[in-house]
């Protein structure tokens, strides 16, 4: 079993990242014996697919690494690093660029959403982004990739690339399996339940950031869109109430229970009761993470040392697969 996943070091980590991905990372890390089986990285190269402010990218990389540590990633059990420090990612990305097809990439919904009608003006990196993502996981022979639902299509593409490469040049890569959180596959915006909670939403009120103060968390939940009805007894009755469903999903994911169990507790109550309870639960979960993060950021050199050590270990693990891929296509290196 080899678990690999990444996160872009742009902006803050939010509740969608935490419930959809990071909590699964920590659970998997804690479930398997310490060793070389879990690799988690800051996808700083992916961040370059959009314009960046260099000093911000640099600072965000350290801060996002500290946030992952605060969430429970343990550098003794997992390998934590930033992608740019392991040049094998870029090297394999180029090789896989010969295998991926333009048509496959054109069908990626993330590309279509982000590029819209302005594809011609987007960076080449935004288009080839999923090829780098395929390299990220294939490089380590990943078997399990814990991600939110929005990344599923990219993982399917990684499998397609691996299958074609293995067919064309001989068996080189394991086929990675996306692991989508059952509790929180897609946490939605607090302002618009038809959009996912996202770092790129211009409204900060749409998301709960892991650095938000207790008061800010409570006020964002109080102001979250909901409706005037009482909560029902069954999840099926939330089918037409996207905002209510999202808040119940968040409660259940935070509590580690199920939406049905939450409704059993709150059926018949309105949001005047439910929202303060949700705010208390969110604060109780996130405040300790924020406190650990504050402490970690007092020693940025220690965080940098974790990343340097992780990169050294990842480089060693990546080398045999990169060499095999290079040999398979006939490159002399
Ligand atoms: P990124 O940085 O957008 O998000 C990191 C992780 O958080 C999940 N996520 C969510 N889950 C539930 N609800 C949400 N609202 C929500 N928003 C984000 C994402 O699905 C992801 O798991 N391309 C990736 C980073 C990446 C990567 C990889 C991931 C680069 N290489 C290789 C896995 C394997 C990205 O931009 O995720």
């Amino acid at each position: 079993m080899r678990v690999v996943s990444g996160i872009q070091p742009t902006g803050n980590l939010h509740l969608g990242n935490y419930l959809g991905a990071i909590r699964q990372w920590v659970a998997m890390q804690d479930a398997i014996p310490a060793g070389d089986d879990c690799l988690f990285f800051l996808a700083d190269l992916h961040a370059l697919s959009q314009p960046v402010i260099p000093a911000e990218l640099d600072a965000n990389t350290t801060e996002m690494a500290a946030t992952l540590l605060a969430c429970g990633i343990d550098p003794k059990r997992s390998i934590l690093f930033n992608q740019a420090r392991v040049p094998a990612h870029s090297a394999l990305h180029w090789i896989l660029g010969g295998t991926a097809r333009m048509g496959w990439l054109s069908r990626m919904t993330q590309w279509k959403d982000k590029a819209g009608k302005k594809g011609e003006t987007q960076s080449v990196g935004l288009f080839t982004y999923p090829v780098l993502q395929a390299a990220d996981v294939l490089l380590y022979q990943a078997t399990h990739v814990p991600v939110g639902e929005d990344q599923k299509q990219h993982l399917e593409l990684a499998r397609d690339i691996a299958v074609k490469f293995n067919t064309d040049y001989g068996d080189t890569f394991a086929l990675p399996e996306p692991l989508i959180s059952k509790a929180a596959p897609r946490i939605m915006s607090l302002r618009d339940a038809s959009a996912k909670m996202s770092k790129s939403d211009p409204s900060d009120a749409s998301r709960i950031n892991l650095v938000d103060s207790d008061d800010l968390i409570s006020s964002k939940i109080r102001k979250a869109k909901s409706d005037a009805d009482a909560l029902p007894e069954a999840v099926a009755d939330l089918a037409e109430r996207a905002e209510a469903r999202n808040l119940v999903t968040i409660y259940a994911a935070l509590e580690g229970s199920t939406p049905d169990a939450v409704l059993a507790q709150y059926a018949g109550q309105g949001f005047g009761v439910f929202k303060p309870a949700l705010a208390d639960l969110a604060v109780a979960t996130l405040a300790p993470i924020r406190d650990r993060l504050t402490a970690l950021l007092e020693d940025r050199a220690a965080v940098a040392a974790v990343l340097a050590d992780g990169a050294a270990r990842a480089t060693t693990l990546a080398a045999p697969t990169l060499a095999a891929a290079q040999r398979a296509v006939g490159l002399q290196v």
Side-chain angles (χ1 to χ4, degrees), residues 189-205:
S189 154
L190 299 180
R191 308 298 308 157
D192 169 10
S194 68
K196 68 172 183 184
M197 187 177 283
S198 159
K199 292 174 231 191
S200 51
D201 193 316
S203 163
D204 190 59

Side-chain angles (χ1 to χ4, degrees), residues 16-175:
N17 300 132
Y18 178 65
L19 295 176
I22 313 306
R23 262 207 338 197
Q24 285 206 91
W25 299 7
V26 174
M28 296 191 81
Q29 155 199 279
D30 291 347
I32 37 192
D36 289 339
D37 299 321
C38 291
L39 293 102
F40 302 115
F41 61 91
L42 292 320
D44 47 6
L45 295 175
H46 276 107
L48 299 181
S49 61
Q50 300 282 356
V52 291
I53 298 169
E56 272 184 17
L57 177 58
D58 185 10
N60 281 341
T61 301
T62 309
E63 282 161 27
M64 188 69 93
T67 312
L68 295 177
L69 295 171
C71 287
I73 296 297
D74 174 358
K76 292 198 193 69
R77 305 184 71 92
S78 293
I79 300 177
L80 179 65
F81 64 103
N82 61 306
Q83 199 186 23
R85 265 229 186 83
V86 184
H89 288 247
S90 309
L92 185 60
H93 165 239
W94 186 258
I95 293 174
L96 298 180
T99 296
R101 304 286 98 185
M102 295 282 286
W104 300 355
L105 296 179
S106 315
R107 282 192 284 278
M108 292 295 110
T109 51
Q110 189 162 305
W111 159 253
K112 289 197 276 188
D113 289 350
K114 285 200 175 161
K117 293 199 171 60
K118 295 199 220 128
E120 295 282 313
T121 64
Q122 295 296 339
S123 73
V124 172
L126 188 65
F127 187 67
T128 61
Y129 180 114
V131 183
L132 178 59
Q133 186 159 345
D136 294 338
V137 295
L138 300 182
L139 191 55
Y140 301 102
Q141 307 287 347
T143 54
H144 296 78
V145 185
V147 284
E149 199 173 61
D150 61 332
Q151 295 301 318
K152 188 165 173 235
Q153 196 188 30
H154 286 160
L155 267 303
E156 283 162 358
L157 180 89
R159 286 174 69 96
D160 290 344
I161 292 175
V163 167
K164 180 163 166 55
F165 189 97
N166 288 348
T167 308
D168 292 349
Y169 300 113
D171 248 348
T172 309
F173 301 118
L175 299 189

Side-chain angles (χ1 to χ4, degrees), residues 186-253:
R186 183 178 282 262
I187 297 296
M188 309 311 279
S189 154
L190 299 180
R191 308 298 308 157
D192 169 10
S194 68
K196 68 172 183 184
M197 187 177 283
S198 159
K199 292 174 231 191
S200 51
D201 193 316
S203 163
D204 190 59
S206 70
R207 62 183 161 263
I208 291 174
N209 303 301
L210 266 57
V211 293
D212 287 348
S213 67
D214 294 354
D215 285 349
L216 191 52
I217 295 172
S218 299
S219 107
K220 284 178 177 178
I221 291 178
R222 224 175 26 249
K223 291 184 192 144
K225 268 201 165 171
S226 58
D227 56 40
D229 295 342
L231 285 166
E233 276 170 22
V235 179
D237 294 325
L238 290 177
E240 304 297 319
R241 297 171 64 187
E243 286 86 12
R245 198 171 60 239
N246 190 39
L247 295 178
V248 170
T249 301
I250 292 174
Y251 192 109

